[in-house]
Amino acid sequence: MGYVPLKGEHANPTRSPDLHEAFVIKSRRCFENDFRGTPAGFEETTSIFWDKAEKAARRFQIACALALDLPVSDLDFFARTTHRFDMSALKYNYYPPCDFEAGSSDGECGSAAIRIGEHTDFGILTFLFLDGAAPGLQVRPSLEGDALNIVGSSAASEKGWTEAPGRGGGHCHRQQRLDVGAVDERPLASIFT
């Protein structure tokens, strides 16, 4: 938790390190977050943002229970299992300006660095908070049976639960990546619950 330097993560270990830096925060009820080096007011602002996102996640959890047609007695199933949000994280990513190289930084070359390599976010929900459009954000095409796929310019939940053929009928999530489809800088906040 805390600061993650540029090229400090490998979302996809077969690629070069990811071209972003980040700041990761977890539930203050369960973890001691490291706010060293942050600007004045960052910790307070982040706490307010976390609380609002947690409320939104609880609402989406009820919506998921309704969509799954759970009995009324189980509408709080997801809320009960995530009540501490100890498996959740808030991650502020900063993607600095990058040089675009067709066939390489656009994600076509399997080993070249991109802003964040192919990965899967596990949990129930992922909220992405963007400042404008998201060129370069790629989410693997939907599979039949996905429960939810909302991608907008200000917030998105790109998590879909699906029965994975050939994988023993377990649940899987779609992969996503962010290539250098645009050379501009891009801030992005994400919450994984």
Side-chain angles (χ1 to χ4, degrees):
M1 293 173 295
Y3 178 71
V4 178
L6 183 68
K7 297 185 177 183
E9 293 182 321
H10 267 104
N12 179 345
T14 65
R15 288 193 179 276
S16 297
D18 298 330
L19 299 176
H20 75 278
E21 55 186 324
F23 200 91
V24 180
I25 298 151
K26 297 196 81 170
S27 172
R28 62 187 177 278
R29 291 188 301 274
C30 305
F31 299 95
E32 186 80 24
N33 289 296
D34 181 1
F35 288 97
R36 286 179 292 167
T38 61
F42 181 75
E43 183 174 356
E44 294 79 19
T45 300
T46 298
S47 293
I48 292 167
F49 185 56
W50 179 281
D51 292 343
K52 289 183 184 285
E54 193 173 292
K55 286 179 187 175
R58 290 190 191 285
R59 290 180 180 160
F60 271 91
Q61 291 168 348
I62 292 169
C64 287
L66 287 168
L68 292 170
D69 203 23
L70 294 180
V72 173
S73 61
D74 284 334
L75 289 183
D76 66 342
F77 170 78
F78 296 110
R80 283 193 323 263
T81 58
T82 61
H83 72 281
R84 291 173 17 127
F85 283 83
D86 56 334
M87 298 297 289
S88 300
L90 167 59
K91 188 173 182 184
Y92 291 97
N93 291 306
Y94 172 72
Y95 301 95
C98 300
D99 293 328
F100 176 77
E101 298 174 34
S104 178
S105 63
D106 59 3
E108 292 305 313
C109 175
S111 61
I114 57 177
R115 287 182 165 170
I116 187 165
E118 298 82 359
H119 66 284
T120 303
D121 299 333
F122 287 92
I124 298 172
L125 302 166
T126 296
F127 294 105
L128 300 178
F129 299 90
L130 313 164
D131 184 17
L137 177 62
Q138 300 172 351
V139 179
R140 195 175 85 196
S142 298
L143 299 173
E144 188 175 330
D146 283 351
L148 180 64
N149 184 27
I150 303 168
V151 178
S153 62
S154 60
S157 172
E158 36 79 10
K159 192 66 66 193
W161 286 55
T162 178
E163 291 295 322
R167 295 189 187 180
H171 293 289
C172 72
H173 295 79
R174 282 178 281 167
Q175 285 189 334
Q176 66 272 350
R177 69 181 186 191
L178 182 61
D179 65 29
V180 186
V183 296
D184 59 335
E185 66 180 1
R186 181 172 303 140
L188 170 73
S190 51
I191 298 178
F192 312 101
T193 65

